[in-house]
Amino acid sequence: MSSPTQEVNPSSLPPRIWDPPLDPQDRKSPRPQTPPPPSNRPPQEPPAAPEFVPGSPTPSYIAEVLLPPAITPKIEVKLLILDLNGTLGYRKRSNQTMNPRPYLGSFADYVTHWKSGLETMVWSSAKPHNVDKMVKRCFGRRKLRAVWARDTLGLNTDDYNRKVQTVKDLKIVWKGLENHNFSASNTILLDDSSIKAHMQPYNHVVLKEYDEVLCAQDQCARSTESVDNDSLDQTLLAVIGILHEAVRYDNVGSWIRSGGLWAGLRDISALPPGTASAGNGERAPAFAQQDVKVDNMIAESVEHSAESTLGNNIWYQDPDVLQTWITRGIAALKEFKIPIRP
């Protein structure tokens, strides 16, 4: 079990800069939204997107996450970056309705709680008007550090208006929030897509996509007269457990790289060099001094490749690991006196 989390003085936290509901003109973004100018011509389909070519983590990033993680005597603030659709809920294409993932209310209370040691923001590849609707549905009037949408991903006009593979390069966030010294040592990205995080793979906590099938199963379970909470998706309870543990370390990127997501239940040192999983679906590459060649699993990854090629190599696919984090998440909610609401 993780040690009790030490209290964080709220005066030591960076100021939050967004208070919902968000007016579009008040969006805090590293660059302004630049929609194409109006035209009287009929809309035309943009040309097909070029083939996506993934990049590689930088040498400086690798050097930072290779440092050994250590528990700090006092909780240091971490930046938590949240995806929306597929992570916190399922958005129906037919009517754009956001269906929250089970325990989202408790999760939202936890990640915005002043004792959590987290500064929480949203970063979604959806367009701003859709992001605002989903944020309101997921967080209500809870305060967030920032809300970023598709207009912050550096896309050109064609890519902004068509379905393309997007990447969440955390350097954009670190630069946009440069006054607060966020880096690979204190940033966690929660997203259901492995490829979006491939530039900083060891700051990524991947989770099973909350899709139409999972959503339908939960709705069916809720429709019964006596709902068995164990039959509902409990991923967000597990994530709370992970976050409650991760904030105790001075370098979360290093903690994830060294197998922290396995909750001490898998000895990754026993695996062959270059194949030890950090628990996020990516294999930990073997680096020698300045050799920063990235393992082929990162360079060749595509959407959901981890689920299809790595077998039982993601933290949530191991039943014992998943249940351990769920138990710790429930304990963390009780510690903060947050109601457990499925």
Side-chain angles (χ1 to χ4, degrees):
M1 296 297 292
S2 59
S3 303
T5 300
Q6 301 181 36
E7 293 191 0
V8 179
N9 187 338
S11 63
S12 68
L13 297 177
R16 302 184 189 274
I17 59 174
W18 185 73
D19 188 6
L22 179 67
D23 188 287
Q25 67 181 2
D26 295 329
R27 178 177 301 279
K28 303 299 182 181
S29 168
R31 57 181 62 81
Q33 180 183 350
T34 55
S39 172
N40 293 326
R41 293 178 299 176
Q44 296 181 348
E45 289 292 328
E51 181 182 358
F52 175 73
V53 179
S56 299
T58 64
S60 60
Y61 172 78
I62 295 303
E64 187 165 7
V65 299
L66 281 176
L67 297 172
I71 295 177
T72 58
K74 182 180 180 180
I75 298 298
E76 299 174 353
V77 175
K78 305 298 189 293
L79 177 65
L80 175 63
I81 304 174
L82 300 174
D83 179 45
L84 290 171
N85 188 32
T87 297
L88 301 186
Y90 167 67
R91 184 172 60 134
K92 292 184 177 180
R93 291 186 177 274
S94 57
N95 56 13
Q96 302 297 302
T97 301
M98 182 70 165
N99 295 273
R101 199 168 198 150
Y103 301 98
L104 178 58
S106 298
F107 176 83
D109 284 343
Y110 179 84
V111 300
T112 57
H113 196 287
W114 71 272
K115 291 174 64 177
S116 69
L118 298 169
E119 278 292 310
T120 301
M121 67 174 285
V122 163
W123 197 10
S124 170
S125 59
K127 293 183 178 180
H129 64 281
N130 289 324
V131 169
D132 292 340
K133 292 176 182 177
M134 288 188 283
V135 167
K136 184 177 180 180
R137 182 76 173 94
C138 293
F139 292 96
R141 295 195 60 83
R142 297 176 184 88
K143 292 182 179 180
L144 297 173
R145 178 65 179 81
V147 173
W148 287 9
R150 195 173 185 83
D151 55 322
T152 66
L153 293 172
L155 302 174
N156 59 40
T157 300
D158 284 341
D159 287 348
Y160 182 88
N161 290 298
R162 65 186 172 190
K163 185 175 179 59
V164 295
Q165 177 60 62
T166 56
V167 176
K168 294 179 179 178
D169 187 345
L170 299 182
K171 289 188 298 183
I172 298 175
V173 177
W174 297 333
K175 182 177 180 180
L177 305 178
E178 58 185 355
N179 294 332
H180 301 290
N181 298 317
F182 292 124
S183 68
S185 69
N186 56 17
T187 303
I188 301 170
L189 172 65
L190 186 67
D191 199 301
D192 62 286
S193 168
S194 296
I195 190 63
K196 286 184 179 179
H198 75 274
M199 293 300 294
Q200 293 89 16
Y202 301 117
N203 290 89
H204 181 210
V205 176
V206 69
L207 70 173
K208 186 176 180 63
E209 179 187 5
Y210 195 67
D211 57 13
E212 184 177 9
V213 174
L214 276 180
C215 182
Q217 291 174 351
D218 287 333
Q219 289 178 338
C220 181
R222 292 179 188 275
S223 65
T224 61
E225 293 184 1
S226 56
V227 179
D228 179 8
N229 292 343
D230 290 341
S231 66
L232 298 173
D233 179 85
Q234 295 183 305
T235 299
L236 292 183
L237 291 178
V239 173
I240 292 172
I242 290 172
L243 297 174
H244 205 63
E245 177 71 10
V247 296
R248 301 172 59 230
Y249 289 84
D250 62 342
N251 189 326
V252 293
S254 176
W255 178 75
I256 291 175
R257 182 197 60 79
S258 61
L261 293 178
W262 293 109
L265 299 181
R266 178 181 290 194
D267 181 12
I268 65 171
S269 64
L271 298 177
T275 62
S277 171
N280 62 357
E282 306 291 0
R283 294 186 299 175
F287 297 104
Q289 298 180 357
Q290 298 303 313
D291 181 7
V292 293
K293 293 182 179 180
V294 181
D295 185 274
N296 289 336
M297 279 306 300
I298 296 176
E300 297 175 0
S301 61
V302 294
E303 194 81 29
H304 307 303
S305 64
E307 289 82 348
S308 62
T309 63
L310 290 179
N312 191 34
N313 219 24
I314 308 177
W315 67 270
Y316 62 75
Q317 293 179 327
D318 186 307
D320 293 334
V321 172
L322 179 62
Q323 187 56 54
T324 295
W325 287 127
I326 290 172
T327 300
R328 293 186 185 185
I330 292 172
L333 291 174
K334 291 180 178 178
E335 178 185 333
F336 288 178
K337 297 180 171 56
I338 295 175
I340 301 174
R341 303 186 302 274

